[in-house]
Amino acid sequence: STVTDGYAITIITSRVVNRRDQPTEIEFHVKIPKNAFISQFKMSIEGQMYDGVVKAKEEAQQQYSEAMSRGQSAGLVSSVGRSLEEFTTSVTVAAHQKVTFELTHEELLKRRLGQYELQIYARPMQPVNDFKIDVSIYEQPDIVFSVVKGGLNHPNLATIGALDVHFHPTVEQQTLCGACGDDGLNGDLVIVYDVFRDDTLGHLKESDGFFVHHFAPTGLARISKNVIFVIDQSGSMHGRKMRQTRAALVHILADLATDDYFGLITFNHAVHPWKRELVQANEHNVGIAKEFARTIEDSGLTDINSALLEGAKMLNQNPRDGSASILILLTDGDPTTGETNPVKIQKNVMRAINKKFPLYCLGFGHDVNFEFLEKMSLENSGVARRIYDDADADLQLKGFYAEVATPLLTNVMLIYEGGANLTQTNFSHYYNGSEIVVAGQITDNNIETFSPRVVAISVRVTVMTASMSESNTRRLWAYLTVKQLLDKELQLDGEEKERAKQEVLELSLKYRFVTPHTSMVVTKPPGENAQVLHKPKEGEKHPSPQGGSFGIVQSSADYDGKLYFNTCALFIVLKGNLTHLH
Ligand SMILES: *[C@@H]1O[C@H](CO)[C@@H](O)[C@H](O)[C@H]1NC(C)=O
Ligand SMILES: *[C@@H]1O[C@H](CO)[C@@H](O)[C@H](O)[C@H]1NC(C)=O
C-alpha cells in the first residue's frame, strides 16, 4: 500500500500453485475498504495475462447475461460490512500450474477525530510461505504521530516524514499470533496517523495541471453550538437499542460545553420535546436532562416528519449569533405514521431547514431505509451514518457525536481564482479533527494566476495564507469528483440526475474505477466464463442472483476481531533505521 497525501493505492497480490494432478478451481477472496474503488484486477496463468476491463454497467451486465443464458456459470459479487466489502473470484488451474491474482484499489483516506486510518485486511486461508504487508506513507507536511493497531506503538514514530511499515511473519508466526490458528492469519492491520497542522490556509499540492488542497487549520477557538437531538423511541427501539441510546445520550449530555445550548426531542407517533426551548448546558440543566434521558422508554409508531419539523422549528426560533446550529436525528426505522411519503418528508425538511444548519441522520440497525436518510442529510449539508446494531452501538453513537462536538468554522467557502472543475467548495461547518479536501484543475496550468482563498466565520478573525508544492493529484481529483457526483446524483431527479450519472460514468471509465455505474469484466482462460465485478451498495448483503452459481459470498458485518500481532514480528522502518518491536 502506498499512501501519498492521504490517497491510498493498495495492490493485493496472491500467487497460488495447484499441487494436484488434476485441474483444480482456485479461489481468490479478499476484503477491501468500503470507500475504495477497485481500479485494476489481473490474473496471470501460464504466462498468459487476463486483465479486467471497466465497462458501463449495462454493457457488462449484458455480457454477463449472455454467459448466463448459455448455461455457463458466471458472476462475482461482493457484500458490504462495517468498513470492508468483499471480492471473490475463482479460476480453474491446470495440474501443477500457477496463478497470480493482482487486485488494485484506491481510496482517499478521511480524517476523523484528528487522524487518518489505513486498514489492510489479511486472510490468506492458510499459512503461506511468503507473506508480506508493505506500507509506505508519504505525507508533506510531516507525519506527527502514527500507531500500528494491535498493541504496537513506538514513541520514535513522532515527526517522521516518510513512514514505512513492513510485516513479514514466518509460516510459524502466522499460526501463533492471537487471532490466527491452523488456517493462518485472519485479521487486519490498521495504521493510524496524522500530519502536522497549523492555522494557515493549509497545504496545496499541484501536478500535471491538477491541484489538491487539504484544509484543516488548528489553533482556532471553538464556536459554541445549538444542538438538538431528535431521538426515535418507537416500539422497534425496544431492548438493547433503547438502552444503548440512553447510555450514549447521558454521556453526550455530560460532554456539552457550558456555553452550548441544547434541546432533546423524543418521538414515536407523537413528538415529545423535553423543553419547548433550547436551554443552556449548565450543570443544572444537564443534570435534569440526564434524568430525562434515563427514563426514555420505547412504544408506538414512527413519525419522522413531525419530529424533524419540530427540531428545525426550535433551532429557527432560538438563533444565537456566532454559534453553530446542528440537528441530529437518530432512528431505527421507516416513517410509519403522520407523513410517510419519503419524498414529501424530504421536501418538508429541506424547506424548514432552508440551508441554515446541517442535519445529521443516524440510521440504527438494518431496518432503516438508509438511502432516504442519506438523501435527506446530503440535501441539508450533513451526512448520514449507519449505527450497527451490535454490543458497541453506544460507542458508535458517542464516536459520531465526538466528530461534530467542536465546530471551529461555519459557512466555509473555498475560492480558487484560476481554478476549474472544482470538487465541493462550500461547507456549512468545519469541525476540529476533520478535514476539508478540495481538488480541481489549474486553468491553463498557470500557477501565476492561481490564487486560493478561504472565507469562513470563526470566533476571531484569522488570516490564512497558502503554500504550494508538487504532488500527484490527478487520480485523487478523479476519485473525489466521482464520490461527490454520486452523492449529488442521489439528491437529483430527472435530467439532472441522468447528467450526474453520465459524468460519473465518463470519469469511471477514464480512470478505471469500479463504481455503482461501472463494472469490471474479468476474462478467464478459454472454456471459462467472463465474470462481472460490481460495486455493492451500502447495506447490500446478498447478491441479486439471476440463476447460475456465484462466488462465495460472506457477510463481514459481524466481523469485529482485530489481529493482534503479539507473537509475530513487525518491523517499522524509520528513514532507513530498522526498529524491531515485540
Ligand atoms: C482540537 O483538537 C486538538 C487535538 O485533538 C486539541 O489539542 C485542541 O485543543 C482542539 N481544539 C479545540 C478548540 O477544542
Ligand atoms: C457557495 O456559497 C456562496 C455564498 O452563500 C454562494 O454565493 C455560492 O454560489 C456557493 N457556491 C456553490 C458552488 O454552491
Side-chain angles (χ1 to χ4, degrees):
S1 191
T2 307
V3 186
T4 316
D5 302 324
Y7 194 66
I9 300 185
T10 302
I11 303 173
I12 305 171
T13 306
S14 172
R15 228 175 10 249
V16 187
V17 58
N18 176 13
R19 294 196 192 285
R20 297 198 183 145
D21 294 329
Q22 67 265 30
T24 303
E25 188 170 35
I26 289 180
E27 187 181 281
F28 175 67
H29 182 180
V30 293
K31 294 186 185 181
I32 69 169
K34 206 163 161 172
N35 274 321
F37 289 143
I38 288 173
S39 57
Q40 205 165 65
F41 178 69
K42 292 193 261 196
M43 284 186 293
S44 162
I45 306 167
E46 293 166 44
Q48 178 79 35
M49 184 72 87
Y50 300 90
D51 210 338
V53 182
V54 176
K55 294 189 173 180
K57 196 160 192 170
E58 291 78 13
E59 201 185 329
Q61 194 67 41
Q62 196 181 346
Q63 198 162 341
Y64 167 85
S65 306
E66 279 166 15
M68 296 297 298
S69 67
R70 286 199 301 271
Q72 299 164 323
S73 77
L76 177 150
V77 192
S78 300
S79 70
V80 179
R82 252 194 211 198
S83 61
L84 297 165
E85 60 194 32
E86 306 204 351
F87 173 93
T88 308
T89 189
S90 64
V91 66
T92 303
V93 177
H96 304 288
Q97 289 292 343
K98 286 180 193 151
V99 54
T100 304
F101 301 98
E102 188 183 295
L103 178 105
T104 306
H105 59 79
E106 308 185 18
E107 152 189 47
L108 180 65
L109 302 180
K110 215 174 168 73
R111 186 169 184 253
R112 281 210 179 103
L113 301 174
Q115 57 193 41
Y116 300 98
E117 232 181 75
L118 176 73
Q119 185 182 20
I120 295 172
Y121 186 88
R123 184 175 166 229
M125 321 281 257
Q126 55 180 290
V128 293
N129 278 334
D130 182 17
F131 182 93
K132 288 182 184 157
I133 296 179
D134 293 304
V135 181
S136 297
I137 301 176
Y138 303 97
E139 292 286 355
Q140 195 53 249
D142 287 347
I143 290 172
V144 281
F145 82 90
S146 73
V147 177
V148 179
K149 280 208 208 160
L152 289 163
N153 187 2
H154 201 278
N156 286 357
L157 288 176
T159 61
I160 300 300
L163 172 72
D164 283 349
V165 175
H166 299 287
F167 178 51
H168 301 174
T170 62
V171 171
E172 199 195 0
Q173 286 167 337
Q174 290 171 44
T175 62
L176 289 178
C177 69
C180 48
D182 293 345
D183 294 338
L185 299 170
N186 179 9
D188 54 4
L189 185 70
V190 180
I191 298 167
V192 176
Y193 71 95
D194 197 17
V195 304
F196 176 75
R197 311 277 165 186
D198 50 26
D199 45 14
T200 67
L201 182 56
H203 291 267
L204 276 121
K205 318 263 171 66
E206 69 86 26
S207 72
D208 210 11
F210 286 82
F211 76 90
V212 59
H213 182 191
H214 293 262
F215 178 69
T218 57
L220 298 170
R222 60 176 286 282
I223 296 179
S224 78
K225 4 183 232 300
N226 300 329
V227 59
I228 293 188
F229 302 96
V230 180
I231 307 292
D232 189 342
Q233 60 168 157
S234 64
S236 53
M237 289 286 286
H238 185 72
R240 186 170 73 171
K241 281 193 208 161
M242 201 74 253
R243 280 199 304 278
Q244 290 167 325
T245 301
R246 284 194 294 258
L249 259 183
V250 167
H251 174 94
I252 288 167
L253 289 167
D255 241 27
L256 292 169
T258 356
D259 59 351
D260 286 341
Y261 279 66
F262 72 102
L264 272 175
I265 296 172
T266 63
F267 72 100
N268 40 26
H269 43 273
V271 178
H272 315 278
W274 167 61
K275 295 266 188 262
R276 289 272 150 213
E277 310 255 283
L278 289 173
V279 301
Q280 192 179 352
N282 57 31
E283 203 174 317
H284 172 74
N285 287 337
V286 167
I288 50 175
K290 282 202 247 172
E291 283 310 308
F292 171 78
R294 286 196 184 97
T295 62
I296 302 173
E297 292 292 345
D298 57 277
S299 74
L301 298 169
T302 312
D303 185 354
I304 291 178
N305 184 65
S306 304
L308 278 180
L309 294 187
E310 178 66 27
K313 192 173 91 191
M314 257 167 90
L315 278 176
N316 280 324
Q317 284 175 347
N318 294 267
R320 282 193 305 135
D321 271 351
S323 67
S325 293
I326 301 172
L327 188 55
I328 300 176
L329 168 73
L330 172 72
T331 181
D332 76 330
D334 295 340
T336 52
T337 183
E339 180 57 74
T340 55
N341 178 340
V343 177
K344 288 203 180 131
I345 298 175
Q346 281 157 349
K347 280 220 175 84
N348 293 343
V349 170
M350 227 167 126
R351 197 176 314 120
I353 291 179
N354 196 18
K355 300 206 181 309
K356 290 207 280 289
F357 42 83
L359 166 67
Y360 298 98
C361 294
L362 306 176
F364 203 155
H366 273 278
D367 295 331
V368 287
N369 178 349
F370 194 73
E371 200 168 299
F372 160 64
L373 296 181
E374 200 172 21
K375 182 170 178 191
M376 198 154 58
S377 304
L378 289 169
E379 282 173 342
N380 297 290
S381 30
V383 292
R385 190 68 68 77
R386 195 188 285 288
I387 302 297
Y388 293 85
D389 189 3
D390 275 326
D392 68 345
D394 54 333
L395 292 179
Q396 297 174 52
L397 288 169
K398 289 182 215 166
F400 167 78
Y401 171 74
E403 287 179 44
V404 298
T406 317
L408 299 180
L409 295 171
T410 65
N411 307 69
V412 187
M413 202 162 49
L414 296 99
I415 301 159
Y416 304 89
E417 266 164 50
N421 292 324
L422 306 172
T423 60
Q424 187 185 342
T425 52
N426 282 6
F427 300 84
S428 62
H429 292 170
Y430 161 66
Y431 299 103
N432 201 19
S434 73
E435 176 177 54
I436 289 173
V437 182
V438 180
Q441 269 175 291
I442 298 169
T443 312
D444 303 325
N445 200 2
N446 187 347
I447 297 174
E448 305 293 296
T449 57
F450 181 74
S451 120
R453 233 165 359 121
V454 178
V455 178
I457 299 174
S458 90
V459 170
R460 58 187 164 81
V461 179
T462 44
V463 180
M464 298 175 165
T465 54
S467 56
M468 189 83 126
S469 59
E470 291 268 319
S471 170
N472 184 10
T473 52
R474 187 190 276 264
R475 293 194 72 80
L476 190 159
W477 167 81
Y479 173 95
L480 199 56
T481 303
V482 168
K483 278 271 176 203
Q484 293 181 354
L485 279 168
L486 286 168
D487 285 349
K488 213 193 245 172
E489 189 196 337
L490 189 64
Q491 302 168 57
L492 296 171
D493 295 303
E495 242 171 69
E496 286 177 297
K497 193 183 191 78
E498 193 53 35
R499 209 172 307 131
K501 180 177 166 183
Q502 276 307 320
E503 271 185 73
V504 170
L505 184 58
E506 275 164 37
L507 283 171
S508 312
L509 291 174
K510 180 163 178 196
Y511 290 92
R512 296 181 50 131
F513 290 140
V514 177
T515 65
H517 299 316
T518 49
S519 299
M520 186 180 276
V521 177
V522 180
T523 43
K524 291 192 176 178
E528 287 187 64
N529 311 302
Q531 283 192 309
V532 180
L533 161 66
H534 301 300
K535 173 111 186 133
K537 269 190 172 168
E538 162 63 45
E540 193 172 276
K541 276 212 180 144
H542 304 288
S544 44
Q546 303 181 325
S549 68
F550 285 82
I552 292 178
V553 179
Q554 282 181 339
S555 161
S556 54
D558 301 330
Y559 170 75
D560 61 355
K562 291 251 189 297
L563 183 53
Y564 294 92
F565 297 117
N566 31 16
T567 56
C568 303
L570 182 97
F571 299 96
I572 297 176
V573 180
L574 309 172
K575 285 193 169 164
N577 299 321
L578 193 64
T579 317
H580 188 164
L581 298 178
H582 298 281

